[in-house]
Amino acid sequence: MFIVNLTYKASFDIVEPHLEAHMAFVNKQYESGIFLASGKKIPRTGGVILSGVENRETLNNIMMQDPFILHGVADFEITEFVISRVSEHLKTTFSL
C-alpha cells in the first residue's frame, strides 16, 4: 500500500488553473483501480492519495503524469507501508 503526499510549490491561485486537469487525472486513476482514496490537506497545501498499485516504480510513473507535476506546481512523496490492521468497516476492502 502507498500514501502519496502532494505538496503545492506555489500559492493556490497559481495551482487552481490546473485543478480541473488534475481532477481528470485523479478520476482516470480511480477508474483504473490505481487510487483508493484521496483528498485535500487542511490547510490547503496539497493533497493525499492512497494507492494499492503493485509497486513504487509504477506509482511514480503514474504520478509523473499528474498535471500538477507536469506544470511544476506541486511535488509528491511516496510512502510505502504494509497494512497490519484495519477497522471492521475496511476489512472487506483489504484482504486481511
Side-chain angles (χ1 to χ4, degrees):
M1 188 67 59
F2 297 92
I3 298 170
V4 179
N5 182 23
L6 279 165
T7 303
Y8 299 149
K9 295 172 26 175
S11 61
F12 188 69
D13 60 317
I14 305 285
V15 172
E16 191 171 23
H18 306 286
L19 190 56
E20 187 175 330
H22 167 74
M23 291 312 301
F25 163 80
V26 168
N27 290 337
K28 179 180 175 185
Q29 304 318 312
Y30 272 106
E31 290 169 8
S32 299
I34 303 295
F35 290 174
L36 304 174
S38 62
K40 62 185 175 186
K41 294 180 190 176
I42 305 296
R44 193 131 190 208
T45 58
V48 176
I49 300 167
L50 183 63
S51 176
V53 73
E54 64 273 2
N55 63 61
R56 181 186 297 266
E57 182 180 352
T58 299
L59 183 55
N60 188 73
N61 291 337
I62 290 166
M63 290 307 301
M64 293 302 292
Q65 300 170 36
D66 184 336
F68 282 173
I69 305 307
L70 292 173
H71 293 284
V73 298
D75 285 327
F76 69 92
E77 178 183 18
I78 297 173
T79 302
E80 184 173 5
F81 72 102
V82 175
I83 295 175
S84 58
R85 187 174 179 187
V86 296
S87 73
E88 291 298 321
H89 298 318
L90 292 179
K91 282 187 178 178
T92 57
T93 303
F94 304 107
S95 300
L96 295 177

